[in-house]
Amino acid sequence: MFKQISIAALGLMQELTPQCISNIAWAFARVGISDPELFTAISRRALATVPDFADFDVTNLAWALARADEVDFELFDQLA
């Protein structure tokens, strides 16, 4: 199921809101599924939409990236 979610998310990445990308990242990290391509795309999308992030989305995304060992320091700096 997560593979299909990844494929769909990658295809829709430019349309996903900060809440969507933080929730997707959180779900993958929560169950321990590694998907470097997805997390890279999420980080890129997040960098492009930083001003639109609510505090909760920042928290979820930061936790998910750290938990998945997919830390993007540039993104973390922008979210801070």
Side-chain angles (χ1 to χ4, degrees):
M1 177 170 76
F2 277 88
K3 184 60 178 170
Q4 287 81 16
I5 293 170
S6 177
I7 292 167
L10 287 168
L12 296 169
M13 191 59 63
Q14 296 307 312
E15 300 172 38
L16 298 178
T17 65
Q19 182 180 6
C20 288
I21 61 175
S22 68
N23 287 346
I24 292 167
W26 181 90
F28 274 73
R30 177 67 178 92
V31 296
I33 295 177
S34 176
D35 191 328
E37 180 182 8
L38 177 63
F39 278 99
T40 297
I42 285 172
S43 291
R44 287 186 191 137
R45 177 68 178 153
L47 275 169
T49 59
V50 165
D52 300 327
F53 271 76
D55 292 343
F56 185 75
D57 302 326
V58 170
T59 303
N60 266 357
L61 183 59
W63 178 88
L65 292 172
R67 176 78 174 175
D69 200 23
E70 294 286 346
V71 175
D72 181 324
F73 291 106
E74 180 183 0
L75 175 58
F76 278 24
D77 285 345
Q78 292 297 316
L79 291 172

